[in-house]
Amino acid sequence: MLPPAAAPAGLTARCTRVLFSPWARLGLLLTLLACGAAMTLWWQPQHLLTDARPAQLTGPTALVVFALAYAACTTVFVPRPVLNLAAGALFGSQAGTATALAGTVLGAGLTFGLGRLLGQDALRPLLRARWLTAADRQLSEHGFRSMVVIRLLPGLPFCAMNYCAAVSRMGWVPYLVATALGSIPNTAAYAVAGARASTPTSPVFLLAMGFIAVSALGALVVAWCKRKALRGR
């Protein structure tokens, strides 16, 4: 008797290896991001700035829903300043800051998890340029300190920084703790500005906008210095 054919089992194993290969997982990540971006464009989150909140969403339920929506939006490159302003406009300075900060940490964790699971294995072998390896080494060896600085400085794309951290060897705990601590100042400033947007001449609004402007200038200075340092390595 002839032995049973092993082709189906071999074909199944090959298909499984292809489906779970690093590049297939990266393709899945890019597909998810594209679908999420399309849904976001259709939803138009900037309408949150007009206080277009459903009437049935009030109290803690509204805060939780907004934090979850905030987290989902940050994974598809929706700018955090828009969401932070919306949080302040909808919920006031204190509740808006807390809700936006919760959404920030949730979104950072979700993005980090997606990048680590679906993108790291495919992208790490591509880190060959000198400045890329230097940035990867900085994030991998000094993750907490680097992430605190990144979060303190506005202008750096939140989602892109999350995926960069996911490709590095940074640990989960320092990443999330640094995100929470480093995001507080600018999140609070934007939430206060959103809450006081109806009185743009008030001292509180002007102070918040001044803090944002100064921190943005600081981000440019740090980025310039860091760029020269990475090029010199």
Side-chain angles (χ1 to χ4, degrees), residues 11-83:
L11 179 61
T12 301
R14 287 195 296 271
C15 290
T16 301
R17 284 196 298 270
V18 171
L19 288 175
F20 289 94
S21 66
W23 287 104
R25 283 182 282 153
L26 179 61
L28 175 60
L29 175 60
L30 295 176
T31 301
L32 291 174
L33 291 178
C35 293
M39 292 179 62
T40 302
L41 290 174
W42 173 78
W43 177 49
Q44 296 179 335
Q46 65 270 21
H47 288 170
L48 290 171
L49 294 174
T50 63
D51 200 7
R53 179 176 55 182
Q56 61 271 26
L57 288 180
T58 58
T61 302
L63 299 178
V64 172
V65 170
F66 185 90
L68 294 175
Y70 187 115
C73 287
T74 57
T75 63
V76 290
F77 296 92
V78 175
R80 283 185 64 241
V82 174
L83 299 172

Side-chain angles (χ1 to χ4, degrees), residues 24-203:
R25 283 182 282 153
L26 179 61
L28 175 60
L29 175 60
L30 295 176
T31 301
L32 291 174
L33 291 178
C35 293
M39 292 179 62
T40 302
L41 290 174
W42 173 78
W43 177 49
Q44 296 179 335
Q46 65 270 21
H47 288 170
L48 290 171
L49 294 174
T50 63
D51 200 7
R53 179 176 55 182
Q56 61 271 26
L57 288 180
T58 58
T61 302
L63 299 178
V64 172
V65 170
F66 185 90
L68 294 175
Y70 187 115
C73 287
T74 57
T75 63
V76 290
F77 296 92
V78 175
R80 283 185 64 241
V82 174
L83 299 172
N84 292 335
L85 289 170
L90 291 172
F91 306 113
S93 299
Q94 295 181 357
T97 298
T99 305
L101 190 61
T104 296
V105 176
L106 287 174
L110 179 59
T111 309
F112 189 83
L114 287 173
R116 180 68 49 100
L117 178 64
L118 300 178
Q120 186 186 47
D121 292 340
L123 295 177
R124 279 203 66 80
L126 303 179
L127 301 178
R128 297 174 182 174
R130 184 172 59 183
W131 69 274
L132 285 175
T133 56
D136 175 65
R137 184 167 57 251
Q138 180 69 24
L139 288 172
S140 299
E141 298 176 0
H142 308 286
F144 180 83
R145 182 178 65 193
S146 300
M147 190 52 57
V148 167
V149 173
I150 288 172
R151 300 311 190 198
L152 284 172
L153 300 176
L156 298 177
F158 179 76
C159 191
M161 293 298 101
N162 294 343
Y163 285 118
C164 289
V167 174
S168 74
R169 294 189 175 92
M170 183 185 302
W172 276 89
V173 173
Y175 169 77
L176 292 176
V177 174
T179 294
L181 294 177
S183 299
I184 292 174
N186 280 290
T187 300
Y190 276 104
V192 170
R196 300 299 182 96
S198 59
T199 56
T201 58
S202 65

